[in-house]
Amino acid sequence: MIIALSMVLCCFLGHMIWEKYVIDPTLTVVETTHYSMDKVEFPAVTVCDSEKVFLPRTHEITELLTLRGYNQSDITEFYKSFSAVTRKDYEPAALVKKMHSVLDDLGYSLKILLNMFQRPCDDLIMECNWRSQPYNCSQMFKPIATIVGHCCQFDIPFFRENTNINTNYISGIDTTEALDIVVMGPAVKIDPDETDGYAMLYVYDRQDKVTLIDSFINLTPESFFDVNIYTWVIDSSENVKALPLASRKCILETDKGIGRGFYQSCMTRMILKKVVNYCKCLPFDFSSKVQVDIKEIISENECYQRCDYVQYDTEVEYVRHQRRLSKENQSASRVQVHFAQMTCMKYRREILYTWDQMLANLGGIFGLCLGGSIISVIELVWFVMELLFKILTSWFKKPVAPQEKKQVFIVSQKNLTTAKPIRKMTSNGKYKFIN
C-alpha cells in the first residue's frame, strides 16, 4: 500500500511539472526598477479632428450637388452625416442616402470623399516645438488614416528623416524638453448653432495604430494641457522567443500573419463582434476587406501582445485657460507632451523550466517518492526487457517429444562362464537358475 501511494504521489507531482513545462512555460520577473528613459523611444502622438469634413475643401462636391438641384440646407445635412453616422441612434435621411448614391455613380466613393474632406496637418497644427526649438509642422507631423478618420501623427523616425543629425531626439521630464504644439479648433463649423468642436489626442507606441481600445484626450479650445507619460518596458529572452506561439503567448515579427498593431487590431475585432451582435452593422470607416472577412473578424482567437514592447500611460496633470495663447489663437489649445519620470520599471519574460531543469525536478521527485535514481531506472528497464525476452522465447520455442526408457545391462567377465546353469525348483513351482 505504501509503495502504491508513493507511486501515485510521484505521478501527480511529475504531471504538475510537465504541465508547467509544456502549457505555461514562461514567467515575468522584474529586471530593474531604474531603467533609464534615455533608452525608451518617445511615443507616437496623433492629433485627430472631431469633424470629419473640412469645409474649405468641399467646394467641388458642393457645386456638383447644387447643379443637381440640392439646396444649401440639404448639402449641410449631407456633410453633417459624416460625423453623425458614428452615433448608434443616427438614422440618415432618405435625401442624404440619395446624395451618397448620386456621388457614388459619379465615381466619388465614400473613401474618396473622406480623402477629399480631410483637414491638412498644417491647418490643424499651427505651431510645433521640440525641446523648446521651433520646427516646421510638416517636418514633424504626417497625415495618416485611422479608425477615427484622417489624423496627423508625430513619431521619432519620421522626425529624424526630416531634420538634421544634430537634433536631440530624447525627451526629458521638464516642459522645456517636451513636444510642444498648438492645435487649432474648427476653422469653419458646418452648423453655426452647434457648440465649439474639439480635437482628440492619442499617445501610443508607434509600432501600433489607433484602435477602438485606445483612450484619447479631448483638446478643448482656449486651454493648456500638460500631458505626462508613464512607461514600463518588457523584453523577452532568447529562450522564450524560441518557443512556439502557443507556449510563449506573445508574437514576433517572424510569425506568419502578424502585422503592425496586431494586438490592438485583434482586440478591435473582439469589440467589433459585440458591435455586430448589437446592431448587425459595421462602422462606416472600416475597409471593405474587413467587411468581407467578417467571419474571421468575429472569431474567438486569443490576442497576443508583442514579446518586446513599451507601454505608455498618460496623465493630464492640469488644464488652464488662455495660457501662452495670443489673442488671434484663442480658439486653439496648447499641448505639452513629455515623460513623467527619469526612470521606469523594466520587466523580463523568462522561461520557467529549461529541459535540463525539468529533468532535474522530475529526478528529484522520483528519488523523493520512490528512492530511485538513474541506475534504478536502467535496472528496471533491464529487468523488464529480460522478462519480456524470456516470455517471448518460451512462446516460440518448439516442444521436445519424450523418449522411451532403455534398459541397460552390465555384464562383467566373471559372469561369463561355460558351466551350465542349475535349475532348482522353488516352493512356488518356479525354477531358479543357479550358476
Side-chain angles (χ1 to χ4, degrees), residues 220-225 319-323 325 332-334:
T220 54
E222 304 181 26
S223 301
F224 175 80
F225 297 86
V319 178
R320 297 180 181 177
H321 290 284
Q322 297 182 356
R323 177 177 175 179
L325 294 175
S333 307
R334 178 172 290 275

Side-chain angles (χ1 to χ4, degrees), residues 130-148:
W130 174 257
R131 296 181 63 91
S132 301
Q133 297 294 322
Y135 289 90
N136 191 330
C137 290
S138 60
Q139 295 179 291
M140 301 179 65
F141 287 85
K142 61 181 178 181
I144 61 169
T146 69
I147 195 173
V148 296

